[in-house]
Amino acid sequence: MAQADRALETGPDIRVVRRDSWTSSDLLSALAEAGSGHDDIFYYFADCPMLDTRVASRMHDSHRRYFAEYTFADGYPTGLTPEILRTEVISRLQSLATGLPGLAGTAPGRDTLFTIIQKDINAFDIETELAPRDQRLLRASLTADCERNARLVEALLGRGAADAEAVMAALDADPGILRTLPAFFNVQVVAACPQSCSFCPYPAAAGDPRKLHGTMPVDRFETLLERIEDFAHDAWVSISLWGEPSLHPDIERLLAAARRRPGIRLLVETCGVGWRPGVLASIASAPGATEPTWIVSLDAATAGVYAGLRGEGFAEATATAGELLALFPHSAHVQAVRMKENEEDLETFYREWKQRTEHVIIQKYDAFAGAIADRRVADLSPLSRFPCWHLRRDVVILLDGTVPLCREDLRADEALGNAFTDDLAGIWERGGRQYARHVQGDLPGICGRCDEYYTFNF
C-alpha cells in the first residue's frame, strides 16, 4: 500500500473504464481485464474518502500469508476497508454469477462480490479482518454516495477522525452523530381500509371518525415528494402508513408521480384486497425511474386463520400476491406478522410461499406501546437498549400533513409539525431532540413502553 501511495503522488497511469450502464457481469469482466498480469485486486468504491490504508495493508499481508482467494473486513462501518480478490478466481465468480437469477444482469452494488461468493462460500479460501469492536449494528456508511452519508463523513472528519480506530471511537462516544437526514418517509395517502384486522390499532386509535375518510390528492402528493427531495435528496417513501392504497381512486397517477423522481424509492404495503382489475398490470407496464417495492400482508396460510385475523378476503389477497410476484418478481414480497394466533400456521405459510419466492417476510408483532394487546410469541428485544432507529431515520406524515413523533404516536400527541405548511428541516430538528434523549438513555413518554426501537425500515 505504501508503494501504491507513492505511485499516486507521482502521477501513475490510471486507466478509466466508462460505460453508459454496468451489470455485475460487466464488472467481473472489467476486473478480469484489469487484473491481468497481477496477483490480487483491491476492490472498493471511489466514494469512500475514509478508506484506511493501514487496515488495507494489514488485510493484504494476511491475504498473502494464508494464500487467501478473497479477503474482507467484518465489523467495520462501510467505507473504511476494501475487499481483496485473487485475480485467478474471477472466472469462477463469473460462472457462479450466471447461476444466480437476476444477478448477472443487474447493476453491481457494494456487496456484489460477497453475494456471488456466498453462493458457494465453502469453495473459496477466505480470510477475515475483524474489527476491534463490532459496529455493524450502527449501519454506518462512510461514503459520499448521498447527502445523508456525506454529512456523516464531514462530521467525522470535522472531529479529526482520520483512521478506522478514530472513526469507531467517535461513533462510540457520540451515537447522535449518526442522525443526519431522514431516509424513510411513511405517508398516509388514503384513510379507508377494506378490513378491520384484530391486531391493528387503526381505525379505532384514530379517535375522530372524520379521520377515517378522505384521500391525498395527487398534486398534493407531488408537492410532498418535491419537498422531500429538496430536503433529504433521496429517500424511501411508503404510501401505506394507515389505510389501504388500493382504495385510492388515483393510485396509478400517485405511483407514477413517485416513479418519475429518480431519488425516490417507492414502497407499497397492501392487504391485497380492493385492487381494480388490470390496475397492477398497468402499473407494471408504466415507465419509471425505479420499480416499486411491494409487500402483501397475508399473515396466514389458511383461510380459517386468515379470517380470524383479517376477516374476509383470503382468496383475493393470495391471488393479488401471486399477480404481484409475477409482475414484479424482484421487488414483490409476502409478509406475515408473527403472533400467538398464527404461530402454528406460520411454518406452513413460510414453506409454501418460499417455494414461489425468496421474498418472504416474517414481521415482529407491534403492540404500539401498549395501545393494543400484547400477542407476542417471544420477546425479541436486544439485551441492551439503544437509540431508536425510527427517530434516527423516519418521518411519519398523516393525510392532513401532521407529523407525529413516530408511527407509534397514534393520536399525534407529540406532533412535530405539518409537512405541507412547516419547513421539513425544522420538523426533523424537533424530532432530533427526542433522539438526543435516547442517546442519553432517557426514554420519555411512549418510548419507555415501546419495543419497536430496534426494527429497521429499508
Side-chain angles (χ1 to χ4, degrees), residues 166-458:
V167 165
M168 299 180 76
L171 294 175
D172 284 339
D174 182 15
I177 198 175
L178 292 163
R179 190 180 191 270
T180 55
L181 288 172
F184 185 82
F185 287 79
N186 206 355
V187 183
Q188 182 187 29
V189 298
V190 59
C193 186
Q195 297 180 318
S196 183
C197 300
S198 63
F199 55 95
C200 177
Y202 186 84
D208 188 344
R210 291 173 296 180
K211 296 182 178 180
L212 305 181
H213 304 280
T215 60
M216 185 178 291
V218 175
D219 58 350
R220 203 169 203 200
F221 183 63
E222 289 180 315
T223 297
L224 181 60
L225 292 176
E226 183 177 356
R227 302 194 77 187
I228 288 172
E229 279 197 319
D230 287 345
F231 173 52
H233 305 285
D234 72 305
W236 279 90
V237 174
S238 166
I239 59 169
S240 310
L241 172 59
W242 303 118
E244 169 52 48
S246 67
L247 302 185
H248 195 290
D250 294 315
I251 186 62
E252 291 178 80
R253 292 177 57 210
L254 205 74
L255 269 60
R259 296 182 69 185
R260 284 195 296 267
R261 297 177 177 272
I264 298 298
R265 287 167 289 181
L266 183 66
L267 171 65
V268 185
E269 188 169 350
T270 174
C271 68
V273 175
W275 291 94
R276 301 186 303 277
V279 168
L280 295 175
S282 177
I283 292 170
S285 62
T290 57
E291 186 175 89
T293 293
W294 300 83
I295 298 177
V296 186
S297 298
L298 297 175
D299 301 307
T302 57
V305 176
Y306 183 93
L309 295 174
R310 308 190 69 98
E312 299 298 319
F314 178 72
E316 182 179 351
T318 52
T320 298
E323 183 178 4
L324 284 170
L325 288 173
L327 293 171
F328 301 91
H330 303 302
S331 62
H333 306 68
V334 293
Q335 175 176 276
V337 175
R338 184 188 180 194
M339 60 192 114
K340 294 176 181 177
E341 288 83 347
N342 68 355
E343 176 69 1
E344 293 184 3
D345 192 59
L346 210 57
E347 184 174 353
T348 301
F349 173 89
Y350 185 83
R351 289 182 181 276
E352 289 185 352
W353 283 104
K354 199 69 173 178
Q355 293 176 8
R356 301 176 63 177
T357 177
E358 290 295 313
H359 303 152
V360 180
I361 300 172
I362 304 299
Q363 188 183 49
K364 70 170 284 296
Y365 179 82
D366 181 8
F368 290 88
I372 58 176
D374 186 354
R375 296 170 172 174
R376 292 178 299 177
V377 176
D379 185 355
L380 303 177
S381 304
L383 295 176
S384 299
R385 180 91 184 220
F386 52 81
C388 178
W389 274 113
H390 304 292
L391 293 181
R392 173 177 153 185
R393 302 182 76 254
D394 299 359
V395 174
V396 173
I397 302 173
L398 297 176
L399 200 60
D400 64 357
T402 299
V403 179
L405 177 67
C406 64
R407 192 180 73 137
E408 310 299 296
D409 184 13
L410 295 170
R411 297 177 183 268
D413 293 327
E414 301 184 56
L416 304 175
N418 188 289
F420 295 119
T421 60
D422 299 332
D423 179 49
L424 285 182
I427 291 172
W428 182 242
E429 176 62 27
R430 285 190 284 278
R433 299 168 193 166
Q434 187 88 337
Y435 185 78
R437 297 180 70 173
H438 277 227
V439 171
Q440 298 301 320
D442 181 14
L443 306 172
I446 60 173
C447 295
R449 305 189 300 273
C450 178
D451 76 337
E452 282 290 297
Y453 67 92
Y454 63 91
T455 62
F456 186 92
N457 287 326
F458 288 85

Side-chain angles (χ1 to χ4, degrees), residues 1 44-45 48-54 56 79-82 142 162:
M1 291 300 296
Y44 57 93
F45 278 56
C48 299
M50 305 193 78
L51 189 78
D52 191 323
T53 57
R54 286 181 294 182
L80 288 177
T81 61
L142 307 183

Side-chain angles (χ1 to χ4, degrees), residues 6-296:
R6 286 196 293 272
L8 285 172
E9 291 171 1
T10 58
D13 181 19
I14 297 176
R15 184 163 60 90
V16 178
V17 180
R18 297 186 186 276
R19 301 193 183 190
D20 292 337
S21 62
W22 284 83
T23 66
S24 296
S25 291
D26 294 334
L27 170 65
L28 293 174
S29 296
L31 289 176
E33 182 181 352
S36 178
H38 302 277
D39 294 333
D40 304 310
I41 294 175
F42 283 69
Y43 178 70
Y44 57 93
F45 278 56
D47 61 1
C48 299
M50 305 193 78
L51 189 78
D52 191 323
T53 57
R54 286 181 294 182
V55 175
S57 180
R58 189 165 64 240
M59 291 171 62
H60 193 225
D61 287 344
S62 297
H63 182 82
R64 297 294 295 273
R65 182 181 305 114
Y66 299 111
F67 304 99
E69 294 174 314
Y70 174 72
T71 298
F72 72 106
D74 198 18
Y76 289 97
T78 299
L80 288 177
T81 61
E83 296 168 89
I84 305 175
L85 192 67
R86 194 187 298 176
T87 305
E88 64 187 40
V89 306
I90 294 177
S91 59
R92 287 158 57 194
L93 297 184
Q94 290 172 316
S95 297
L96 279 176
T98 59
L100 292 172
L103 177 66
T106 58
R110 298 185 192 277
D111 60 349
T112 294
L113 293 183
F114 191 70
T115 298
I116 297 171
I117 288 171
Q118 275 186 309
K119 181 68 176 177
D120 192 11
I121 197 166
N122 292 325
F124 295 89
D125 292 322
I126 298 175
E127 281 297 317
T128 306
E129 173 76 17
L130 296 176
R133 298 177 304 285
D134 189 349
Q135 290 192 334
R136 286 174 297 179
L137 186 62
L138 300 180
R139 296 180 186 251
S141 184
L142 307 183
T143 57
D145 58 343
C146 64
E147 179 72 17
R148 184 180 308 103
N149 293 333
R151 288 192 182 194
L152 176 58
V153 169
E154 291 172 354
L156 288 166
L157 291 173
R159 298 186 181 200
D163 56 30
E165 184 57 37
V167 165
M168 299 180 76
L171 294 175
D172 284 339
D174 182 15
I177 198 175
L178 292 163
R179 190 180 191 270
T180 55
L181 288 172
F184 185 82
F185 287 79
N186 206 355
V187 183
Q188 182 187 29
V189 298
V190 59
C193 186
Q195 297 180 318
S196 183
C197 300
S198 63
F199 55 95
C200 177
Y202 186 84
D208 188 344
R210 291 173 296 180
K211 296 182 178 180
L212 305 181
H213 304 280
T215 60
M216 185 178 291
V218 175
D219 58 350
R220 203 169 203 200
F221 183 63
E222 289 180 315
T223 297
L224 181 60
L225 292 176
E226 183 177 356
R227 302 194 77 187
I228 288 172
E229 279 197 319
D230 287 345
F231 173 52
H233 305 285
D234 72 305
W236 279 90
V237 174
S238 166
I239 59 169
S240 310
L241 172 59
W242 303 118
E244 169 52 48
S246 67
L247 302 185
H248 195 290
D250 294 315
I251 186 62
E252 291 178 80
R253 292 177 57 210
L254 205 74
L255 269 60
R259 296 182 69 185
R260 284 195 296 267
R261 297 177 177 272
I264 298 298
R265 287 167 289 181
L266 183 66
L267 171 65
V268 185
E269 188 169 350
T270 174
C271 68
V273 175
W275 291 94
R276 301 186 303 277
V279 168
L280 295 175
S282 177
I283 292 170
S285 62
T290 57
E291 186 175 89
T293 293
W294 300 83
I295 298 177
V296 186

